[in-house]
Amino acid sequence: MRVILPGVHIGDGAIIGANSVVGSDVEAYSIMAGNPARLIRKRFDDELIGLVERFAWWDKSIEEINALIPILTSSDLEMVRKEIRARQDSV
């Protein structure tokens, strides 16, 4: 169970740990846990977070998202960074 207090904004891609109480806004792609919740770490570096936010894969068609799944689920973050940059440059 998690408790998110009224008025708190949870950023895209954030992870909230079990049994956490969140009383303040959570930045995108952050990992928060505890009572009160505190930042454990960011999931990605600031550059990759910016690339993913600008890429906005969630606004793409289902067909595009299905084609992106191998990229978006890869643990090779340098490849992810390269692929997102290439796809943004081609738009």
Side-chain angles (χ1 to χ4, degrees):
M1 178 164 92
R2 295 158 192 87
V3 176
I4 312 295
L5 298 177
V8 171
H9 172 78
I10 307 295
D12 291 329
I15 296 173
I16 308 298
N19 300 314
S20 296
V21 177
V22 183
S24 58
D25 291 349
V26 176
E27 290 185 32
Y29 300 95
S30 295
I31 300 172
M32 302 282 286
N35 181 5
R38 62 181 177 77
L39 177 66
I40 303 300
R41 66 180 177 86
K42 290 183 176 183
R43 294 177 61 192
F44 312 118
D45 64 38
D46 290 337
E47 179 192 19
L48 186 53
I49 290 170
L51 284 169
V52 171
E53 288 180 327
R54 286 188 301 279
F55 190 58
W57 63 266
W58 49 87
D59 289 335
K60 301 196 180 309
S61 71
I62 295 298
E63 293 79 17
E64 288 176 290
I65 292 170
N66 284 335
L68 291 169
I69 287 173
I71 296 165
L72 298 175
T73 60
S74 175
S75 60
D76 182 351
L77 298 182
E78 287 308 312
M79 183 276 296
V80 172
R81 185 184 319 267
K82 179 181 169 187
E83 290 293 327
I84 290 175
R85 280 188 189 130
R87 290 168 190 270
Q88 285 179 332
D89 292 341
S90 67
V91 174

